[in-house]
Amino acid sequence: MASTRQPHQATYDAIVIGAGIQGSFAAYHLAQRHRDTLLLEQFILPHSRGSSHGQSRITRSAYPQAAYARMMPDSFRLWQRLEAEASTTLYRRTGLVILGPAGHSELEGCRRSLGTNEVLDAVTLARRFPGLRLHAGEVALWDSTGGVLFADRALRAVQVGAAEGMGWGCPGLVLAATSITISTQEVFRRHGGTLRDGEKVLRIEPGAVLTVTTTAGVYRAPRLIITAGAWAGALLAPLGLHLPLQPLRIDVCYWREKEPKTPSMGRDSPCFITVGLSQAPHSVYGLPALEYPGLVKVCYHHGSPTDPEERDRDLSGTPHPNITLLSSFISSYLPGLEAQPAVMETCLYTNTPDGDFIVDRHPKFSNIIIGAGFSGHGFKLAPVVGKLLCELSLGEEPSHSTAPFAINRFPGVLRAAL
């Protein structure tokens, strides 16, 4: 989606850098509050360079961390609101199975978050979901709210929602798999809000009114939200903030069913995640065959450190230890699938050391709000994260506690600006 190149006003109520799912929801919530907002994206939209592309993500109520569990009901509600506004389906309820050793702390945390004792032993799991297998000492927890978010569709819908909240859009764009048609160029010009893609931010100048210089213009606003994913570190370093963010290159793998259209492995099977398995210390997750016919999405929740600018570099011939791990896992837990991936794609995570988000004000410049380090589990919570970023930027009391996401949990990150 390429934005129009007519001259735009240089001053806004708010600027959001990064039009992934978190930034798009931040802009969406600002639009709902009638703030004239500029949403900047360095790549031409749509693109697959960051963390928000692809067709599917898991959503769930079960979380071992209480902070996320408390946010999930609000997140479900906001996804439903977006579905209604967009007149399209963004969520498919499949249920979620959580596999792990009996009594494991993370599994127990998930059970407490659900407020249920629906624990399945190996016999019960095999009867309900024959494609999944448990081993001695392991159990499964059932989350009936779990399911699939249609990620590409959701990202486009929220970008339209942000646009239509301000009465703006891009000319003539019809969103795939939805009934939404974005407003005409005339409506876009009449109402004035702006999404500009293909503009890389070159410089941010702090102040009561901030200045953001891109490859195509200079923009000003009294508040700025940075949701730049794997590029957040490079944007924040000149502002004296060195966050411990590690971009990871993730292998996104799809595995062929041995017997096509097997009921237990196809479109109607549940999502699953693992916790506490010794052979998969960073968790394995899977989704039913919705994206590619007959191919089940199973991935390792970890990857290799990477420079986001080189994420698409050809790595053929490079060892893939995570694929070896997944092949072994599938042979052991999902015997209905072939043990070698049929399709491999890539995605980016941007991890913090503790795996928790960063949602906070810049410690020196309070009108710069940062959303970063979503560590591969932020998509489902993006409606709430966007709301929190919006509330922080407007000086409102956050609707959920942001204490677990504070920057000051990482000592020594504020240094002299370059």
Side-chain angles (χ1 to χ4, degrees), residues 187-203:
V187 174
F188 174 74
R189 288 172 171 168
R190 189 185 311 136
H191 294 281
T194 308
L195 165 63
R196 292 184 65 85
D197 61 352
E199 289 198 28
K200 186 177 180 67
V201 172
L202 303 176
R203 186 169 61 256

Side-chain angles (χ1 to χ4, degrees), residues 146-220:
V148 178
L149 288 169
F150 300 116
D152 279 348
R153 196 185 303 181
L155 180 60
R156 292 170 183 170
V158 74
Q159 287 169 347
V160 174
E164 292 185 341
M166 295 180 287
W168 55 269
C170 298
L173 177 68
V174 179
L175 297 187
T178 80
S179 59
I180 305 170
T181 302
I182 299 183
S183 307
T184 63
Q185 187 172 359
E186 182 60 34
V187 174
F188 174 74
R189 288 172 171 168
R190 189 185 311 136
H191 294 281
T194 308
L195 165 63
R196 292 184 65 85
D197 61 352
E199 289 198 28
K200 186 177 180 67
V201 172
L202 303 176
R203 186 169 61 256
I204 299 168
E205 299 170 50
V209 175
L210 302 116
T211 302
V212 176
T213 302
T214 74
T215 49
V218 178
Y219 310 104
R220 296 178 178 84

Side-chain angles (χ1 to χ4, degrees), residues 4 47 61 73-74 85 102 123 169 173 191 196 208 211 237 241-242 268 281 283 287 334 395:
T4 56
H47 68 81
S61 295
D74 198 13
E85 291 171 353
V123 174
L173 177 68
H191 294 281
R196 292 184 65 85
T211 302
L241 192 58
H242 297 260
D268 297 325
S283 184
L287 297 87
L334 298 162

Side-chain angles (χ1 to χ4, degrees), residues 47-88:
H47 68 81
S48 60
R49 297 289 303 276
S51 301
S52 296
H53 68 283
Q55 297 182 49
S56 63
R57 298 291 190 279
I58 291 175
T59 190
R60 53 191 164 107
S61 295
Y63 249 110
Q65 303 95 331
Y68 300 117
R70 286 192 292 267
M71 293 162 68
M72 279 310 305
D74 198 13
S75 188
F76 273 108
R77 181 183 62 80
L78 290 169
W79 280 118
Q80 289 167 355
R81 187 175 84 177
L82 181 62
E83 279 189 318
E85 291 171 353
S87 299
T88 190

Side-chain angles (χ1 to χ4, degrees), residues 14 56 59 75 80 106 108 124 147 154 157 162 185 231 265 270 314 317 327 335-336 339 366 385 404:
S56 63
T59 190
S75 188
Q80 289 167 355
E106 286 189 61
E108 287 301 298
T124 307
Q185 187 172 359
W231 289 265
M265 295 305 304
D314 182 13
S327 294
S366 61
V385 169

Side-chain angles (χ1 to χ4, degrees), residues 337-361:
L337 301 180
E338 299 287 351
Q340 294 299 319
V343 175
M344 286 180 55
E345 300 171 346
T346 61
C347 189
L348 284 179
Y349 285 7
T350 305
N351 279 26
T352 59
D354 57 13
D356 288 327
F357 307 163
I358 294 171
V359 179
D360 202 357
R361 295 181 175 88

